[in-house]
């Protein structure tokens, strides 16, 4: 399916403002939707043959005080890739889980929950460790987490008491 | 009956990489499985946010140990898409040659890897030995054997010498002659037939639910290959077939890998023959270490040996990437697939399941 036909289709069927749709490349589209209608848009896409969920990712826009969630979907039949972006506030990062639509989303969402602290409502594993067992700091992929400060605090530089013998001597 | 909890991996001959699966078994049958990643977590995504666009070149091959070139290529393609750069034609051909040699290498390694769970130790001896011959080519081309750091934003680091192209062709001819022996020694071997045929089936519905790409979906009759569907570099100018089979079991998935090797050879030979002369790298604007990539976001992807490998990259116009998310090709089958597909398997087939599904720990536990 051609990109412009597809843009016309979602405009007509879902009633999305075309200003929110951007053609990134020949077979790639980027769509921005409100967090309220994100779920219904994703369900709509699943019903028109976007069977493959490639990736769910989060971006921490700390200056704008919000998180961006990006769902990358692929349709093999239409041969198109769509990135659906939605924004949620940083103070109350809650969004509905899509794991009932794409079962594989379970681990992408769990991953994001662990690294960003975003809560996916309807997901049974929120707060449980997946990659970071025994992690008690703030979620590490947030922009206000400083890994260098953390490692200096956690692993302070130690002084070793040792003597270097034959210092400066060239061993032949 | 009483259920027992077992830890499969990280120290297990049938487990590749530092990854473990917690199994609950009833007798010999797996009742539930839970993937337990995190032993290999190195924080690459966070590290990349603190390094400049060019410094990351040294970091990204480490994300996937057996298949580093894929990472270099997908990262470079993403950066080029963000910066709106068009690389020289010759560089595209060289990238194709490098990526396809890498594909042959990883397929040889995974054919060798089947020796662990099945006990057919001829396979690793043959697979790893032939992979080593291609590592020699990489050593001559890039100076490194495993992590090459050869594909960079703007092209490739250096031109490929003419005598090395000849040597690549000779090595391909040599391997092609011996593929018959691979078939006789490994794929026609009674052990492999007994241990793999009909084992670890992957029905079509499950494969679609998990979002598997690559071998997993091609063994179910779909010809989905990013090289054909969304051609990158010069794959649209080269002719090759995508091997497909109808029924997915451990044997057919392993055989598909083997059937992809001649196709990769075909691609390399065409690329060597068609390669134009010219520059291999365009100069980056200004000081490369202080290069500011324009604002934007991109999902760049390509076909690795295990499926679609993608990077979601965001730039805010700064010196470093604002956000990089690595989507390892085996993410769906290694995490959700293990949980949803492993129950019902017999304990002795768990290693076969994990091996032939292409579970690769470093790329999802990045």
């Amino acid at each position: 399916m051609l990109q412009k036909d597809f843009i016309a289709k979602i405009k007509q069927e879902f009633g999305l403002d075309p200003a929110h749709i951007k053609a990134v490349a020949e077979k790639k589209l980027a769509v921005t939707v409100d967090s309220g209608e994100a779920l219904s848009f994703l369900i709509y896409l699943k019903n028109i043959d976007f069977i493959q969920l490639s990736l769910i990712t989060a971006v921490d826009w700390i200056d704008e005080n919000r998180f961006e969630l990006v769902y990358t979907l692929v349709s093999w039949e239409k041969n198109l890739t769509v990135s659906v972006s939605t924004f949620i506030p940083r103070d109350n990062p809650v969004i509905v889980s899509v794991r009932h639509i794409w079962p594989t989303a379970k681990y992408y969402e769990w991953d994001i929950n662990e690294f960003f602290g975003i809560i996916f409502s309807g997901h049974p594993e929120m707060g449980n460790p997946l990659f970071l067992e025994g992690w008690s700091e703030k979620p590490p992929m947030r922009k206000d987490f400083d890994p260098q400060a953390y490692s200096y605090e956690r692993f302070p530089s130690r002084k070793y008491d040792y003597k270097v013998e034959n210092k400066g001597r060239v061993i032949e | 009956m009483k259920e027992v909890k077992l830890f499969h991996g990280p120290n297990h001959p049938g487990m590749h990489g530092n990854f473990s699966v917690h199994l609950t078994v009833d007798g010999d049958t797996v009742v539930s499985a839970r993937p337990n990643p995190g032993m290999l977590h190195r924080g690459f995504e966070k590290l990349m946010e603190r390094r400049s666009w060019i410094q990351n070149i040294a970091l990204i091959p480490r994300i996937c140990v057996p298949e580093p070139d894929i990472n270099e290529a997908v990262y470079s393609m993403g950066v080029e898409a963000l910066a709106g750069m068009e690389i020289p034609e010759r560089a595209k051909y060289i990238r194709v040659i490098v990526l396809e040699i890498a594909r042959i290498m990883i397929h040889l390694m995974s054919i060798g890897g089947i020796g662990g769970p099945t006990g057919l130790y001829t396979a690793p001896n043959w697979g790893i030995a032939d992979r080593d011959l291609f590592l020699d080519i990489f050593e001559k081309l890039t100076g490194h054997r495993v992590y090459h750091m050869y594909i960079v934003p703007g092209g490739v680091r250096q031109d490929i010498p003419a005598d090395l192209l000849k040597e690549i062709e000779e090595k391909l001819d040599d391997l092609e002659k011996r593929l018959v022996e691979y078939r006789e020694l490994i794929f026609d071997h009674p052990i492999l037939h007994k241990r793999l045929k009909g084992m670890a089936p992957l029905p079509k519905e499950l494969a679609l639910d998990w979002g598997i790409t690559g071998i997993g979906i091609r063994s179910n009759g779909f010809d989905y290959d990013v090289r054909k569907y969304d051609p990158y570099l010069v794959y649209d100018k080269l002719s090759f077939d995508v091997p497909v089979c109808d029924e997915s079991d451990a044997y057919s998935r392993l055989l598909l890998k083997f059937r992809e090797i001649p196709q990769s050879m075909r691609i390399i030979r065409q690329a060597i023959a068609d390669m134009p002369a010219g520059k291999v790298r365009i100069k980056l604007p200004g000081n490369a270490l202080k290069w500011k990539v324009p604002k934007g976001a991109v999902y760049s992807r390509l076909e690795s040996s295990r499926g679609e490998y993608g990077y979601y990259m965001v730039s805010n116009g700064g010196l470093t990437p604002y956000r990089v998310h690595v989507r390892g090709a085996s993410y769906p089958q290694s995490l959700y697939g293990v949980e949803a597909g492993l129950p019902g398997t017999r304990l002795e087939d768990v290693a076969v399941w994990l091996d032939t599904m292409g579970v690769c720990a470093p790329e999802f536990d990045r």
Side-chain angles (χ1 to χ4, degrees):
Chain A
M1 191 179 222
L2 282 175
Q3 204 177 39
K4 67 171 195 277
D5 298 343
F6 181 69
I7 293 175
K9 184 182 160 77
I10 49 176
K11 196 179 129 195
Q12 192 198 353
E13 290 180 3
F14 195 76
L16 203 68
D17 185 2
H20 293 168
I21 307 168
K22 206 173 94 185
V24 182
E26 196 189 330
K27 284 166 186 161
K28 283 178 190 156
L29 283 173
V31 183
T32 313
V33 289
D34 292 337
S35 60
E37 65 179 354
L39 186 69
S40 54
F41 186 60
L42 290 169
I43 292 173
Y44 164 73
L45 286 180
K46 168 90 191 214
N47 288 337
I48 55 166
D49 201 50
F50 280 81
I51 47 173
Q52 188 201 331
L53 173 73
S54 268
L55 182 67
I56 304 177
T57 186
V59 186
D60 182 6
W61 296 103
I62 190 167
D63 296 339
E64 298 157 27
N65 199 26
R66 58 183 186 172
F67 285 119
E68 182 185 7
L69 279 163
V70 188
Y71 299 80
T72 303
L73 309 169
V74 183
S75 165
W76 303 345
E77 204 175 87
K78 297 186 173 56
N79 199 359
L80 280 171
T81 307
V82 177
S83 298
V84 182
S85 299
T86 184
F87 291 91
I88 53 172
R90 212 163 173 280
D91 319 316
N92 180 26
V94 181
I95 194 159
V96 185
S97 167
V98 295
R99 74 184 186 92
H100 297 294
I101 314 170
W102 292 277
T104 187
K106 180 179 176 185
Y107 280 86
Y108 292 120
E109 289 178 345
W110 195 354
D111 186 328
I112 290 171
N113 172 255
E114 190 160 47
F115 285 104
F116 285 89
I118 295 173
I119 294 160
F120 292 86
S121 53
H123 193 295
E125 303 280 3
M126 291 294 99
N128 295 346
L130 177 65
F131 292 104
L132 310 170
E133 220 171 280
W135 182 261
S136 55
E137 306 284 319
K138 71 172 72 166
M141 285 301 287
R142 287 195 180 194
K143 284 282 173 187
D144 49 0
F145 174 77
D146 185 355
Q148 200 169 30
Y150 170 78
S151 72
Y152 282 151
E153 186 196 314
R154 185 77 186 260
F155 311 105
S157 57
R158 280 176 286 183
K159 273 207 171 135
Y160 294 95
D161 192 20
Y162 63 92
K163 229 161 79 185
V164 181
E165 282 179 18
N166 301 328
K167 197 178 174 187
R169 207 189 102 205
V170 179
I171 299 164
E172 287 171 4
Chain B
M1 203 193 266
K2 198 180 169 191
E3 290 177 352
V4 181
K5 196 170 182 189
L6 287 177
F7 296 89
H8 185 94
N11 289 326
H12 190 282
M15 181 60 89
H16 309 302
N18 291 345
F19 176 51
S20 92
V21 180
H22 292 184
L23 302 170
T24 311
V25 292
D26 179 355
D28 254 1
T29 313
V30 177
V31 178
S32 71
R34 187 181 168 276
N36 180 28
M39 278 164 274
L40 207 52
H41 186 75
R42 296 143 292 171
F44 276 121
E45 288 171 1
K46 194 77 182 177
L47 286 173
M48 278 152 91
E49 287 173 12
R50 301 172 58 85
R51 280 161 175 74
S52 74
W53 293 93
I54 291 297
Q55 279 176 316
N56 278 332
I57 294 288
L59 196 63
I60 42 168
R62 270 93 184 161
I63 291 176
C64 184
V65 185
E67 204 172 16
D69 303 279
I70 290 290
N71 285 277
E72 296 169 19
V74 70
Y75 174 81
S76 303
M77 277 160 53
V79 176
E80 283 152 12
L82 281 173
M85 277 161 44
E86 186 63 36
I87 63 165
E89 200 66 10
R90 188 177 171 85
K92 289 184 185 171
Y93 277 90
I94 295 178
R95 279 186 184 183
V96 167
I97 294 171
V98 167
L99 289 177
E100 292 304 321
I101 294 178
R103 195 184 308 278
I104 294 179
M105 270 167 40
I106 176 84
H107 281 334
L108 287 172
M109 203 172 169
S110 47
I111 289 169
I114 201 66
T118 55
L120 180 69
Y121 289 108
T122 322
N125 286 333
W126 276 66
I128 304 296
D130 273 328
R131 175 178 180 263
D132 216 70
L133 298 177
F134 288 103
L135 290 183
D136 291 345
I137 290 176
F138 275 115
E139 192 176 1
K140 283 180 187 163
L141 179 62
T142 68
H144 306 275
R145 288 176 77 79
V146 178
Y147 301 128
H148 311 125
M149 291 160 274
Y150 180 65
I151 298 172
V152 294
V156 293
R157 237 179 336 124
Q158 265 177 6
D159 202 353
I160 191 164
D163 55 337
L164 195 62
L165 288 177
K166 218 172 153 195
E167 197 180 325
I168 292 172
E169 278 184 333
E170 281 167 13
K171 290 235 160 98
L172 290 182
D173 291 343
D174 174 47
L175 180 63
E176 195 168 31
K177 261 184 243 156
R178 280 181 296 110
L179 284 183
V180 186
E181 291 170 40
Y182 266 87
R183 194 171 257 284
E184 285 169 0
L185 269 171
I186 299 167
F187 289 92
D188 288 348
H189 199 285
I191 289 183
L192 224 58
H193 279 239
K194 276 222 162 112
R195 293 287 289 116
L196 297 188
K197 280 216 165 152
M199 295 295 170
L202 175 64
K204 196 183 271 181
E205 303 76 48
L206 281 188
L208 293 175
D209 261 6
W210 301 355
I212 278 192
T213 50
I215 298 280
I217 201 74
R218 289 202 288 276
S219 60
N220 269 311
F222 293 94
D223 65 341
Y224 180 71
D225 187 318
V226 183
R227 291 177 293 176
K228 287 275 189 200
Y229 274 68
D230 185 13
Y232 48 94
L233 301 175
V234 288
Y235 280 108
D236 46 348
K237 294 180 193 164
L238 306 168
S239 72
F240 61 98
D241 299 326
V242 179
V244 171
C245 67
D246 293 330
E247 206 166 308
S248 184
D249 63 358
Y251 187 80
S252 65
R253 287 194 294 272
L254 192 71
L255 191 64
L256 271 190
K257 289 179 187 170
F258 182 66
R259 282 171 59 199
E260 279 189 5
I261 293 178
Q263 297 302 329
S264 293
M265 290 175 167
R266 206 171 136 196
I267 294 172
I268 296 170
R269 289 197 181 110
Q270 284 174 55
I272 290 176
D274 299 352
M275 194 160 62
K279 284 201 322 188
V280 294
R281 189 179 182 180
I282 49 171
K283 209 176 168 325
L284 299 177
N287 183 344
L289 282 174
K290 290 184 182 152
W291 183 30
K292 286 184 179 169
V293 171
K295 253 187 198 174
V298 68
Y299 177 67
S300 81
R301 57 172 183 164
L302 47 72
E303 185 73 23
S304 83
S305 70
R306 289 173 300 280
E308 177 187 316
Y309 209 112
Y311 270 44
Y312 188 83
M313 298 168 53
V314 181
S315 169
N316 66 343
L319 290 168
T320 60
Y322 191 75
R323 165 89 169 115
V324 182
H325 193 140
V326 181
R327 191 254 190 207
S330 67
Y331 200 107
Q333 63 262 46
S334 308
L335 296 173
Y336 185 72
V338 162
E339 185 194 297
L342 210 48
T345 314
R346 283 172 68 88
L347 186 57
E348 61 264 34
D349 299 331
V350 170
V352 169
W353 193 101
L354 292 168
D355 188 288
T356 56
M357 287 285 177
V359 172
C360 176
E363 64 183 21
F364 59 83
D365 200 356
R366 64 281 159 208

